[in-house]
Amino acid sequence: AQSVTQLDSQVPVFEEAPVELRCNYSSSVSVYLFWYVQYPNQGLQLLLKYLSGSTLVKGINGFEAEFNKSQTSFHLRKPSVHISDTAEYFCAVTRDTNAGKSTFGDGTTLTVKP
Amino acid sequence: DTAVSQTPKYLVTQMGNDKSIKCEQNLGHDTMYWYKQDSKKFLKIMFSYNNKELIINETVPNRFSPKSPDKAHLNLHINSLELGDSAVYFCASSQRGRAVTGELFFGEGSRLTVL
């Protein structure tokens, strides 16, 4: 079985500050890792994904994440946030793409203040 | 052109009623899902269909019955609605198989309120 823990339920930051949203996972086998963003009253959309290869993954809207196998982490970062980044962020793992089941973390609410 | 569309977007109904939510995807994916998001924003998978075949059926009351007439459509019917069924229901799709990313594409959600 796989599980995902998002270590912070709420992260308030000021505009133009850097931010890190933390995600740890557990799985006995290799996994694929994803970050999704949910803006208010919308569905989730993919920010970035790690499948293999380089451990630093770049996504949309200036976000990036680093896969750390030894620490089983996949933290999301942005060097300078905007008000428009205010949203719910979900980390997800899929054991293998053929299984068809993603496990989601409980979400982190990022609030960017002016 | 919407990739995953669900209707209705909002549903307000009384306890004990039956309601349905429809979902359609035009991405050519072979797998569709229903997720439930509660008031704390927690996301839980309910069902998944691959090419019209049920492949994931989490612990969900029998009052919930999914139906997939073809691989582009997945509907959710709920009988005898209860207060605890109030949530946002998301439809999603993906492509299964090797050498694919497994990325999920979500609809905009259907907010169900049971009074």
Side-chain angles (χ1 to χ4, degrees):
Chain A
Q2 64 220 28
S3 66
V4 180
T5 303
Q6 291 184 239
L7 298 163
D8 309 290
S9 59
Q10 301 201 24
V11 174
V13 292
F14 287 105
E15 195 173 18
E16 297 182 9
V19 72
E20 178 179 78
L21 307 184
R22 298 179 294 164
C23 173
N24 287 352
Y25 69 93
S26 69
S27 175
S28 56
V29 297
S30 295
V31 294
Y32 300 98
L33 296 151
F34 304 83
W35 275 99
Y36 290 85
V37 60
Q38 183 182 24
Y39 298 107
N41 299 313
Q42 293 187 28
L44 283 73
Q45 58 182 278
L46 184 74
L47 260 184
L48 47 78
K49 60 195 175 198
Y50 173 79
L51 305 179
S52 64
S54 172
T55 57
L56 183 63
V57 178
K58 292 192 185 297
I60 62 171
N61 301 340
F63 283 92
E64 62 181 33
E66 183 145 25
F67 170 60
N68 188 319
K69 189 174 181 180
S70 62
Q71 296 187 9
T72 60
S73 67
F74 190 53
H75 300 334
L76 181 71
R77 299 187 186 102
K78 186 169 181 178
S80 175
V81 293
H82 303 292
I83 300 282
S84 59
D85 292 323
T86 295
E88 193 77 19
Y89 292 79
F90 292 93
C91 182
V93 304
T94 304
R95 197 182 82 169
D96 68 69
T97 56
N98 210 28
K101 179 179 173 182
S102 292
T103 301
F104 283 81
D106 289 340
T108 297
T109 304
L110 174 64
T111 304
V112 182
K113 301 184 245 187
Chain B
D1 204 18
T2 308
V4 181
S5 59
Q6 11 179 154
T7 55
K9 195 164 181 178
Y10 299 96
L11 264 173
V12 180
T13 190
Q14 301 285 333
M15 269 195 333
N17 284 351
D18 304 338
K19 287 294 176 189
S20 291
I21 308 171
K22 296 187 174 184
C23 180
E24 174 181 5
Q25 55 96 2
N26 62 8
L27 297 166
H29 289 162
D30 61 2
T31 307
M32 295 183 72
Y33 311 77
W34 279 111
Y35 280 83
K36 179 181 179 181
Q37 186 175 47
D38 65 20
S39 58
K40 293 183 178 176
K41 302 272 179 92
F42 299 153
L43 263 176
K44 282 275 168 71
I45 190 168
M46 301 172 70
F47 302 103
S48 175
Y49 271 76
N50 174 255
N51 284 318
K52 302 195 297 175
E53 180 185 347
L54 182 66
I55 56 169
I56 295 174
N57 185 353
E58 295 294 291
T59 308
V60 176
N62 290 340
R63 300 180 294 102
F64 290 79
S65 50
K67 200 161 281 188
S68 181
D70 56 61
K71 71 175 191 176
H73 295 84
L74 179 62
N75 304 323
L76 182 66
H77 187 75
I78 316 169
N79 288 326
S80 304
L81 279 156
E82 300 177 357
L83 293 176
D85 297 333
S86 295
V88 182
Y89 293 85
F90 285 101
C91 178
S93 73
S94 73
Q95 184 68 25
R96 286 183 71 197
R98 303 206 179 277
V100 293
T101 66
E103 171 188 350
L104 290 165
F105 291 78
F106 284 84
E108 297 222 325
S110 297
R111 181 177 295 275
L112 172 65
T113 304
V114 183
L115 302 174

